[in-house]
Amino acid sequence: MNRPLMGLVIGGILGALDGGTAFFSAPELRNELAGIVMGSSLKGVVAGLVTGLIVRRMGSLPLAALVGVVVAFVLAIPIAYMNATYYENVSYYWKIILPPTLFGAFVGYLTVRYGKPAGRKAAA
Amino acid sequence: MSGLSDVTIRHLREVADWPSPGERYEVIEPIARGGMGKVYRARDHELERDVALKVLNLSRSGPDAARRMVREARIHAGLEHPGIVPIHDVGRLADGRVFYTMKLVRGTRLDAFTREHTDLDTLLRVFERICDAVAFAHAHGVIHRDLKPGNVMVGAFGEVLVMDWGVAKTLGGREAEGGARNEAAADDGEEEATGGWRARSGDSSRVISTGPETVSDPRVGPDTHPGTVLGTPGYMAPEQAAGNIERIDERTDVYALGMILRGFVTAVGGKPRRSLLALIARATEADPERRYDGVVQLADDVASFQAGRRVVAYRETAWEHAARIGYRFRTPILLILAYGLIRLLIFVLAGT
């Protein structure tokens, strides 16, 4: 599987898992859990795809993890801002930014570790 | 009548031995020598490049030696692999001696390389490349029989070349005997070697190991007879040291490779992992039946060791197994733990 696709899949799965943890971390939002999981998955898919595109020729795993962190962090900021403003709760900043940022490192790492780098053709 | 001095005799011998390979090659300087002959740097005027030219000494140029030389060249030429020095040409000098030319290798001999690089990963990568070349030879029915750090060159770009196929044995029955090659000279540094023969003493641009020399019997004919000992003490498998020709096969080279690996571990120092020691012990078992079946299996185990996978030669405990898996997947494990910690903190803080 090429790296952008790998990033997309891993990002989607981890995004869904991360969204699902809101069940515990934000009990007041349990009735909105489906929307949170879908939104988080979508964010994970986008973050994974962007990470996969950036790291498609990368050889360094730590660097790939760093790319994942940065991408996830940047994507999480506007979502955290919207939620924090809408619910008037500043704690959403770190609740929404911090965990996915760590998952971003995971996405970057796994994408480079298991994704096929660009420019390498499959044997006939 | 006064006798000639040793220096004069040596000079006269060198002059008499100096090859005249015709118009194509111009012999420039000797770069290595053995009991049976010499290797020279020569200029190939046709292709405008320097080559190594190996030729028998005049005193050793009987029909048997010539046959051995041609046979050696043919076996060597049959091994076309990036890890084996390529042969370019074979021919006869005007005086009837056989010569062959091959690539002039520039680089560092493995014994010198090991002194300069004490990082185990680097050395194991080199080792895997040696295994690639030797496995290729084995696949073509050729056993090297004299694998040692002195017969491996590491190039400036990381290329690894296995040299000196002079005592190689073909499993089909043909053999190439380079003959006695016991003369040594020594200094340290870089070497331009060919066929692994001994570089000239006093030439500071080349290296020679202070390690053990190849042992061989100059009386042997083109075929090796039972009881003939060819190889290098310290790297020779027991069956080879005993002259047990019948038992020499791929596992004889496995033993020598195991000894090279042992040298790496010694050079690196520190306390080696048990699995690596077990791997070396398996490769250097006295009984060939208990060694790895071939170089491929040895190389696979080395690759497993490098990748943090289970090594066939070592039966690990449950704790060692867990520790190995943990170390192999340390990055994802750390990331999961960090994520779990953050989630736990958020959960705890959300409850307050």
Side-chain angles (χ1 to χ4, degrees), chain A residues 17-19 21-22 24-25 27 94-95 98-100 102-103 105-106 109-110 113-114, chain B residues 307 328-336 338-340 342-343 345-347 349-351:
Chain A
L17 283 174
D18 186 47
T21 59
F24 304 104
S25 62
W94 53 273
K95 278 183 182 175
L98 214 51
L102 265 174
F103 258 169
F106 220 8
Y109 174 85
L110 292 175
R113 180 79 176 77
Y114 298 106
Chain B
R328 186 179 168 194
F329 296 105
R330 59 194 180 282
T331 308
I333 288 171
L334 278 173
L335 286 171
I336 288 169
Y339 180 82
I342 293 288
R343 273 294 171 206
L345 272 173
I346 289 172
F347 178 67
L349 290 173

Side-chain angles (χ1 to χ4, degrees), chain B residues 258-280:
Chain B
M259 295 308 291
I260 291 174
L261 201 50
R262 180 167 287 168
F264 285 173
V265 170
T266 307
V268 169
K271 193 181 173 191
R273 301 235 296 273
R274 285 182 189 174
S275 51
L276 183 58
L277 292 178
L279 191 155
I280 293 167

Side-chain angles (χ1 to χ4, degrees), chain B residues 166-244:
Chain B
V167 295
K169 171 186 177 173
T170 54
L171 292 177
R174 289 183 310 146
E175 305 218 351
E177 313 296 357
R181 295 166 302 140
N182 290 324
E183 292 180 41
D187 54 47
D188 291 334
E190 297 259 305
E191 180 186 24
E192 281 180 347
T194 62
W197 284 20
R198 301 291 161 216
R200 297 178 71 206
S201 63
D203 187 340
S204 60
S205 70
R206 294 178 189 97
V207 179
I208 230 38
S209 78
T210 51
E213 304 304 323
T214 303
V215 171
S216 61
D217 185 344
R219 295 164 300 177
V220 295
D223 301 311
T224 311
H225 303 291
T228 307
V229 177
L230 297 162
T232 301
Y235 294 91
M236 256 193 284
E239 67 273 17
Q240 190 179 0
N244 196 345

Side-chain angles (χ1 to χ4, degrees), chain B residues 24-28 41-45 48-51:
Chain B
R24 179 171 177 177
Y25 300 105
E26 179 191 349
V27 177
I28 298 168
R41 182 210 302 268
R43 183 73 181 165
D44 179 348
H45 288 298
E48 296 185 340
R49 63 178 177 181
D50 283 352
V51 295

Side-chain angles (χ1 to χ4, degrees), chain A residues 7 10-11 14-15 18 39-40 42-52 54-55 63-81 93-109, chain B residues 339:
Chain A
I10 294 170
L14 293 185
D18 186 47
S40 183
L42 187 66
K43 179 164 67 75
V45 163
V46 174
L49 181 64
V50 172
T51 303
I54 294 173
V55 303
L63 202 58
L66 186 67
V67 169
V69 164
V70 172
V71 171
F73 179 77
V74 168
L75 283 176
I77 288 173
I79 295 164
Y81 172 76
Y93 274 112
W94 53 273
K95 278 183 182 175
I96 289 175
I97 292 175
L98 214 51
T101 299
L102 265 174
F103 258 169
F106 220 8
V107 171
Y109 174 85
Chain B
Y339 180 82

